[in-house]
Amino acid sequence: MTNTKPLHAPQDQFPVSGGCLTIGGIPLNRLTQRVGSTPFYAYDRDLLTARVAQIRGAMPEGLSLHYSIKANPMPALVHHLAQLVDGFDIASGGEMSIALDTTVEPGCISFTGPGKSEQDLSRAIAAGVVVHVESRRELNVLSWVGERLGIAPKVMIRVNPDFELKASGMKMGGGAKQFGLDAEEVPGLLGELASRDFQFEGFHIFCGSQNLRADLIIEEKSRTLDLALRLAQDSPLPIRAINLGGGFGIPYFPGDERLDIGAIGNCLTERLPGLRAALGEVRLILELGRHLVGEAGIYVTRVIDRKVSRGQVFLVTDGGLNHHLAASGNFGQVIRRNYPVAVGNKMNSKTRETVTVVGPLCTPLDTLAEKMELAVAEVGDLIVVFQSGAYGLTASPVHFLGHPKPEEVLV
Ligand SMILES: *Cc1c(COP(=O)(O)O)cnc(C)c1O
């Protein structure tokens, strides 16, 4: 029997120079001096650019690629992506402010999420942002606020489909959900929409996040398009766009393999003629978060203590779950597994040992790497957590235990 342990996908997007990881062409030691303090997040501009080009190359011509700001709202990163993508997906009033500060047309910004406040809906109408309607209450508020402002709100209906996406890290559609309007309700709602003053654009259907199985994503996208076609049949209003959501995964854990987006692109390309025959010039939109930015970012934290407890080596770092909840395993994971981690200033070191890397918080939940083989590290060395460009700082409880907030840089 072969005993091959599953490995992390190689993190070769960041070259190594003189034993030191480089990001944006800058050796990590130098970048740390430039930032001036640890911990910090660093995002690589060229990797973001390359990822957008790669996705565009795989997807049918004319598909609109949106960035879902929820994954990483750092303004410099959002402004960089504004030059590259066709639009943004926002999920809060705060994200709306960030998106509206960029050069992206408000009509290419879509506002999703449950519980949108009247104030935010009103701001969205005034800005010309497309609102994804997720409840009857939202439809009513949009209707009368639009009337008050003298603007016909731009809307899409977010549909909670009558099926689920299998093997998704987080399910966001199918069954009973707080997201969107149940598919069964949509025909009635379209009638109401048509009788009021709205600019109706189409449907938004998104089933789940962090999926690495191209076959399952293809099945889900096919069923999503079938559902959109079915709903379009009874619609008194033309369907101009179908937003297919996001959810493309990236490899985090040992054994995870990169998603085959070429296969997904081929499926969408095959469906386009049929969709156009039924709906006319319909626009397909993908709104990706994690897959666009996740692999372009690292979290860097410094070893401040090294101790041995009953034979086990612990490296204690100056940041942990307060800055990077997901890497600690407490953001949607059922069983804790290690993110890819390395000692960033000792990338070529041949002397290695099994260690547990923990943050400075007084809770056993604060673990960045558990019993992982790393280069032998001392106080002062730099621990790097890869795959940290999405749902990193923005999804972390920075106030917990009152440590300073980490810096973020785009290089
Ligand atoms: C979170 C979210 C996305 C992005 O999901 P990823 O898995 O990061 O691609 C896209 N659309 C909506 C509506 C979302 O809530």
Side-chain angles (χ1 to χ4, degrees):
M1 223 175 82
T2 51
N3 184 16
T4 45
K5 270 208 328 215
L7 298 174
H8 283 109
Q11 298 298 312
D12 48 12
Q13 67 269 43
F14 300 105
V16 172
S17 167
C20 196
L21 196 75
T22 65
I23 174 158
I26 307 170
L28 187 63
N29 282 331
R30 176 58 62 89
L31 181 63
T32 306
Q33 291 162 347
R34 185 184 115 172
V35 174
S37 61
T38 53
F40 64 90
Y41 277 89
Y43 314 114
D44 186 318
R45 188 189 298 276
D46 289 344
L47 288 178
L48 295 170
T49 305
R51 178 53 60 101
V52 171
Q54 187 192 21
I55 296 168
R56 286 205 190 276
M59 292 299 147
E61 194 144 4
L63 177 134
S64 295
L65 179 63
H66 289 197
Y67 171 52
S68 184
I69 291 181
K70 182 180 69 184
N72 188 330
M74 185 214 192
L77 176 144
V78 173
H79 281 268
H80 180 66
L81 285 173
Q83 317 299 314
L84 305 169
V85 298
D86 304 305
F88 288 132
D89 168 56
I90 54 172
S92 72
E95 291 183 6
M96 178 156 42
S97 302
I98 293 171
L100 290 173
D101 279 344
T102 69
T103 51
V104 165
E105 282 289 315
C108 299
I109 298 170
S110 54
F111 185 16
T112 326
K116 300 180 196 76
S117 70
E118 187 183 315
Q119 184 187 3
D120 286 342
L121 289 170
S122 172
R123 288 178 63 206
I125 298 171
V129 161
V130 181
V131 177
H132 289 180
V133 180
E134 310 226 10
S135 74
R136 285 188 169 266
R137 171 209 151 251
E138 282 187 2
L139 194 69
N140 291 334
V141 173
L142 285 164
S143 177
W144 69 259
V145 173
E147 218 165 282
R148 195 183 69 205
L149 297 178
I151 306 168
K154 291 184 185 143
V155 296
M156 291 182 88
I157 295 184
R158 181 169 185 184
V159 184
N160 177 26
D162 39 15
F163 55 85
E164 282 193 347
L165 171 59
K166 286 172 235 138
S168 221
M170 284 188 209
K171 289 197 172 50
M172 303 185 70
K177 287 281 179 301
Q178 71 268 53
F179 306 112
L181 286 140
D182 293 346
E184 310 81 276
E185 275 189 78
V186 171
L189 220 74
L190 285 168
E192 282 179 46
L193 259 173
S195 69
R196 299 197 224 168
D197 200 12
F198 282 108
Q199 300 179 61
F200 177 66
E201 307 230 329
F203 300 121
H204 172 239
I205 309 174
F206 173 40
C207 291
S209 189
Q210 178 53 15
N211 201 309
L212 287 173
R213 291 271 306 272
D215 57 333
L216 296 178
I217 293 177
I218 287 169
E219 185 192 322
E220 178 246 331
K221 297 300 175 220
S222 296
R223 295 180 73 177
T224 296
L225 293 173
D226 292 342
L227 173 60
L229 284 171
R230 222 179 335 124
L231 294 172
Q233 275 173 2
D234 306 322
S235 174
L237 299 163
I239 309 304
R240 300 200 174 89
I242 303 171
N243 186 321
L244 295 165
F248 294 9
I250 59 170
Y252 286 108
F253 307 118
D256 281 357
E257 282 174 29
R258 293 207 147 74
L259 177 66
D260 179 6
I261 58 163
I264 301 168
N266 291 342
C267 152
L268 295 178
T269 303
E270 281 165 24
R271 291 292 306 254
L272 264 181
L275 287 167
R276 295 216 165 112
L279 305 176
E281 267 312 303
V282 66
R283 205 157 46 91
L284 288 185
I285 304 166
L286 272 184
E287 47 179 27
L288 301 179
R290 190 189 314 269
H291 194 80
L292 266 181
V293 298
E295 303 205 65
I298 57 173
Y299 174 63
V300 182
T301 176
R302 198 185 283 281
V303 177
I304 51 175
D305 205 347
R306 179 195 160 91
K307 54 188 285 190
V308 180
S309 167
R310 309 225 155 92
Q312 233 191 90
V313 179
F314 288 85
L315 302 175
V316 187
T317 55
D318 57 5
L321 81 72
N322 51 334
H323 303 157
H324 202 332
L325 187 68
S328 77
N330 295 293
F331 186 62
Q333 282 188 52
V334 183
I335 302 164
R336 192 195 175 283
R337 287 180 294 170
N338 290 328
Y339 267 47
V341 168
V343 182
N345 56 319
K346 290 183 172 170
M347 294 301 289
N348 295 338
S349 175
K350 295 278 183 296
T351 44
R352 298 172 72 84
E353 64 179 349
T354 298
V355 297
T356 292
V357 182
V358 298
L361 307 191
C362 208
T363 160
L365 297 177
D366 193 10
T367 302
L368 290 177
E370 195 174 354
K371 294 190 182 138
M372 215 173 157
E373 195 194 286
L374 298 179
V376 172
E378 304 298 335
V379 170
D381 284 337
L382 297 168
I383 300 292
V384 169
V385 181
F386 295 100
Q387 306 296 75
S388 298
Y391 305 107
L393 184 57
T394 188
S396 299
V398 284
H399 296 294
F400 189 35
L401 274 110
H403 289 274
K405 198 174 165 219
E407 295 293 328
E408 287 183 287
V409 290
L410 178 69
V411 289

